[in-house]
Amino acid sequence: MRLKEKVALVTGGSRGIGRAVALELAKEGADIGVNYAKNKAAADEIVSKIHLLGRNAIPIQADVGKITDIERMVEQIWEEFGRIDILVNNAGIAYIEPFFKVSEETWDRTLDVNLKGTFFTSQIVANKMIKKQIEGRIINVSATNGQVAEVDTVHYNASKGGMDMVTCSLAIELAPFGIRVNGIAPGIIKTEIDVDFFADSKFKEHYQQHIPMRRFGEVEEVGKTAVFLASDDSSYITGHTIVIDGGLLCEQVPKLQN
């Protein structure tokens, strides 16, 4: 087991990519703090699955867009496990709205969760890692939108581009303390959250013909990449964002028209 006796905090860990990341980290021996914003039942379910793997896990409610919630969340997991070795900043939201319709509320909420949440969770956790001399790992789950823009998501694109730069910046600042910081940028990944999205035959046909691997990604593939970045297998990698997109960014993909 590559992560034996490690403790991980996964934000947004109750569903989708976060759920898969939490499970894959647990399979490799880590105990897990499963953060959720609203859906306690989903968090309890994944905690139960982790217990069946022989690892410890607790659900932790917190809105990562609020610093007071972040502080409470980190203290709770620290009290339970006595440390955090791995932080996965996965919590995120996406509103599909055209540029001229984006409200201040939409902009603030998107940046608060996706960018502010990543920054301050990293700051609070890294500070505790340094004090306890833990050579930790921080993994930021961004998106291909941080590198290639899409229409109707300028606010989301901005938040993910900001996350990628936070990854680079923190890698420089935290390297002297033995803390590595990397990112993951998923492309089109199948999750239980987007069932209707992937059931759209027009969408599937359009994008699959432009993905060189001719399929969408699986959440487990993202989870296994997180394990790689959290383990010593990636011991000389910091400040980089690994794209998981089946080659999508290598090809110019026209926008699907309704």
Side-chain angles (χ1 to χ4, degrees):
M1 289 188 176
R2 288 179 284 176
L3 303 176
K4 187 178 180 180
E5 298 181 352
K6 302 295 185 182
V7 175
L9 168 59
V10 182
T11 68
S14 63
R15 299 191 303 162
I17 288 174
R19 181 179 187 276
V21 168
L23 277 174
E24 293 298 330
L25 294 176
K27 289 176 184 177
E28 290 291 337
D31 294 328
I32 312 292
V34 179
N35 161 249
Y36 69 98
K38 297 179 180 179
N39 194 337
K40 186 177 187 303
D44 288 340
E45 180 186 358
I46 188 63
V47 164
S48 295
K49 288 182 178 294
I50 292 170
H51 287 161
L52 290 175
L53 294 171
R55 306 312 312 162
N56 194 8
I58 59 170
I60 309 171
Q61 191 285 325
D63 178 349
V64 299
K66 300 176 180 178
I67 295 178
T68 54
D69 274 26
I70 297 172
E71 292 172 335
R72 173 176 51 76
M73 171 178 67
V74 173
E75 286 303 320
Q76 186 175 342
I77 190 171
W78 211 273
E79 289 176 8
E80 177 70 22
F81 298 109
R83 62 190 297 119
I84 296 174
D85 301 278
I86 303 158
L87 167 63
V88 182
N89 286 305
N90 168 77
I93 55 174
Y95 300 111
I96 309 301
E97 293 182 12
F99 168 59
F100 288 108
K101 296 293 181 66
V102 174
S103 65
E104 181 179 12
E105 180 182 2
T106 293
W107 173 269
D108 286 347
R109 185 60 182 157
T110 302
L111 273 291
D112 278 353
V113 173
N114 297 358
L115 188 54
K116 175 182 170 183
T118 294
F119 179 85
F120 283 104
T121 306
S122 298
Q123 183 188 71
I124 292 166
V125 170
N127 185 51
K128 295 181 79 68
M129 286 177 172
I130 291 167
K131 287 181 178 179
K132 198 163 183 178
Q133 297 183 320
I134 296 171
E135 295 188 348
R137 310 288 181 257
I138 297 175
I139 302 167
N140 298 323
V141 181
S142 176
T144 51
N145 295 68
Q147 301 180 35
V148 176
E150 288 186 297
V151 298
D152 297 337
T153 55
V154 60
H155 45 295
Y156 181 74
N157 300 340
S159 72
K160 293 301 183 177
M163 284 182 69
D164 290 347
M165 188 52 65
V166 165
T167 295
C168 288
S169 301
L170 294 189
I172 296 169
E173 296 218 22
L174 297 178
F177 303 100
I179 299 172
R180 292 194 290 109
V181 185
N182 288 293
I184 297 173
I188 304 174
I189 308 295
K190 292 187 294 183
T191 76
E192 74 274 18
I193 302 170
D194 300 311
V195 173
D196 294 338
F197 192 59
F198 289 101
D200 186 331
S201 59
K202 185 178 180 182
F203 168 85
K204 290 178 66 174
E205 181 180 354
H206 174 78
Y207 277 98
Q208 282 182 333
Q209 69 180 337
H210 289 98
I211 296 174
M213 291 184 69
R214 295 296 186 266
R215 68 175 177 84
F216 301 134
E218 303 290 341
V219 290
E220 291 79 11
E221 293 173 304
V222 182
K224 292 179 186 300
T225 304
V227 168
F228 168 70
L229 291 175
S231 74
D232 289 338
D233 289 348
S234 58
S235 57
Y236 197 54
I237 300 175
T238 195
H240 294 283
T241 296
I242 297 178
V243 176
I244 307 176
D245 70 347
L248 180 63
L249 291 190
C250 293
E251 184 171 348
Q252 294 283 339
V253 183
K255 173 69 176 178
L256 176 64
Q257 302 299 321
N258 294 324

